[in-house]
Amino acid sequence: MSLKFAANLSYMFQEVTGLENRYKAAKEAGFEGVEFAFPYEVPIEKLVKAKSEAGVQQVLMNAWPGDLSAGDKGIASLPHRRKEFEEKLELSVQYAKALDCKRMHIMAGMKPHFIDTAMEEVYLENIEYAAQRLQKEGILALIEPINTRITLPGYFLDRTHQAVEYIKKINHANLKLQMDLFHVQIMDGNLTGMIRDYLPHIGHLQIAQVPARGEPNSPGEINYSYIFKVLEDSGYSGWIGLEYTPKENTVQGLSWLKEMGY
């Protein structure tokens, strides 16, 4: 079974100024699918036009993250921002519908310095609300553990088993796991077991090398030739987002696709 790779326009093609202009760059590099993190500073009309002209699929986007300049990384677990969560989810839906995007990652947010015991309850309620709301639009809700050792110290959701337990507890058909093997390797390792054990819960995959978050064939801890074989043998048929930072030129760095048989 052949694997499908989507270019992450928030990480790749930084040689091209403007998020909307990276659609064309991705298409010219051979990609049929793209994803990105936060499109909210770009008018919807610009993104729709650029996507249409490039002729690619928007396979994933993140929900509105809060105020990034103030350190927000999602607000789903923040008790004092529940109304804002619901209101801004509607903005996210507008972008997703306009781009015909069928998957949305809902970021949890950062833990405060003090203990807030209400966070887990609020998070579960907000994620259930999002799963229900997005289902009405045909958009799959995703949650993703992000490592707290390197990338986001203090992030609310950092372990895969924790995310899967939340998914089981909420028990909604429109809620799945976004598994980024970069984060999983840093927090847990055991990638083979994680993929095989949690495959039924996975709604989207992302990859990058560890620890530098570069191309899959760059020096690091993960043997991606082996991992891709595990995914093929497991029957994974979804998209794999390339959420890595190219070492130099994005297109030159794509040599790994041919090297690994894709």
Side-chain angles (χ1 to χ4, degrees):
M1 179 180 291
S2 182
L3 301 177
K4 300 185 299 183
F5 299 99
N8 189 302
L9 304 186
S10 297
Y11 279 74
M12 303 171 72
F13 301 103
Q14 294 299 306
E15 306 90 344
V16 179
T17 302
L19 183 65
E20 68 275 16
N21 296 321
R22 294 175 195 151
Y23 281 110
K24 180 181 178 182
K27 180 67 173 183
E28 290 176 346
F31 289 100
E32 298 297 328
V34 302
E35 62 179 34
F36 49 47
F38 312 119
Y40 303 104
E41 293 184 358
V42 183
I44 293 178
E45 297 77 15
K46 274 191 175 183
L47 294 171
V48 170
K49 183 175 184 291
K51 172 181 170 288
S52 176
E53 290 175 350
V56 295
Q57 295 182 55
Q58 183 78 45
V59 304
L60 174 76
M61 58 175 282
N62 284 5
W64 190 80
D67 185 352
L68 293 172
S69 65
D72 285 343
K73 294 294 186 294
I75 59 174
S77 66
L78 306 183
H80 61 293
R81 299 175 73 174
R82 298 185 67 172
K83 183 178 180 182
E84 181 184 2
F85 175 82
E86 294 183 8
E87 290 175 348
K88 291 300 185 180
L89 186 62
E90 295 306 314
L91 175 64
S92 304
V93 167
Q94 287 179 30
Y95 271 80
K97 288 178 66 176
L99 295 168
D100 194 26
C101 180
K102 302 300 184 183
R103 296 166 197 82
M104 186 182 296
H105 167 213
I106 302 146
M107 296 189 73
M110 305 298 290
K111 295 178 182 177
H113 294 297
F114 55 89
I115 296 175
D116 190 339
T117 56
M119 289 187 76
E120 184 173 67
E121 179 182 354
V122 169
Y123 179 70
L124 291 172
E125 290 177 356
N126 278 339
I127 295 300
E128 182 176 13
Y129 172 86
Q132 293 172 349
R133 175 67 186 91
L134 294 179
Q135 186 176 48
K136 295 177 182 178
E137 308 294 345
I139 302 167
L140 180 65
L142 299 166
I143 60 173
E144 176 193 16
I146 297 177
N147 84 81
T148 51
R149 291 178 173 153
I150 297 175
T151 305
L152 280 183
Y155 192 70
F156 176 79
L157 181 65
D158 63 351
R159 306 303 285 261
T160 304
H161 66 84
Q162 178 189 21
V164 172
E165 285 305 310
Y166 286 157
I167 290 169
K168 290 178 178 178
K169 190 169 185 176
I170 293 170
N171 191 28
H172 195 288
N174 196 49
L175 178 63
K176 292 283 188 178
L177 173 69
Q178 180 169 310
M179 179 182 279
D180 187 329
L181 299 185
F182 171 79
H183 298 303
V184 177
Q185 172 65 14
I186 291 169
M187 296 303 295
D188 295 297
N190 186 30
L191 296 184
T192 304
M194 287 287 194
I195 291 167
R196 291 174 177 168
D197 290 348
Y198 295 134
L199 186 66
H201 300 288
I202 296 174
H204 188 68
L205 275 170
Q206 291 178 324
I207 62 170
Q209 189 54 271
V210 176
R213 207 167 193 170
E215 288 92 342
N217 66 340
S218 60
E221 300 175 10
I222 303 177
N223 179 350
Y224 272 108
S225 293
Y226 168 79
I227 290 298
F228 293 154
K229 183 67 164 53
V230 170
L231 290 170
E232 290 176 351
D233 292 345
S234 299
Y236 179 74
S237 59
W239 288 94
I240 300 174
L242 306 181
E243 194 176 68
Y244 66 72
T245 302
K247 184 177 179 181
E248 294 180 1
N249 178 275
T250 299
V251 174
Q252 291 175 358
L254 291 172
S255 61
W256 66 267
L257 284 164
K258 186 176 181 180
E259 291 174 11
M260 297 187 186
Y262 300 99

